Amino acid sequence: MKPAPKPPLGIQPRYIHECHRIDEIHKAINRFICADHPIPLEWIAEYNELVSRNKE
């Protein structure tokens, strides 16, 4: 008797994806700071939104 086939791989849970996204934004902001470049406001807004959402 053959074992039942495994279902296909799904997607990452949202909170894990958002934690990775927060980390990537944080690293990008630090790179821009080190290079004396202005930080895009969109990055700051997204970072703040994700951080506040993950605290709930």
Side-chain angles (χ1 to χ4, degrees):
M1 180 176 223
K2 288 171 108 177
K6 291 184 178 182
L9 186 61
I11 60 171
Q12 218 176 32
R14 181 183 300 259
Y15 73 92
I16 293 175
H17 169 73
E18 289 181 354
C19 286
H20 289 291
R21 182 70 175 166
I22 289 169
D23 188 49
E24 288 197 18
I25 295 170
H26 183 262
K27 289 176 182 176
I29 288 172
N30 282 333
R31 288 191 299 270
F32 270 54
I33 289 170
C34 290
D36 291 325
H37 279 44
I39 311 302
L41 296 178
E42 296 84 12
W43 292 3
I44 296 169
E46 183 180 355
Y47 179 84
N48 288 336
E49 178 186 334
L50 291 171
V51 167
S52 66
R53 197 182 320 172
N54 279 319
K55 284 187 177 181
E56 296 173 353

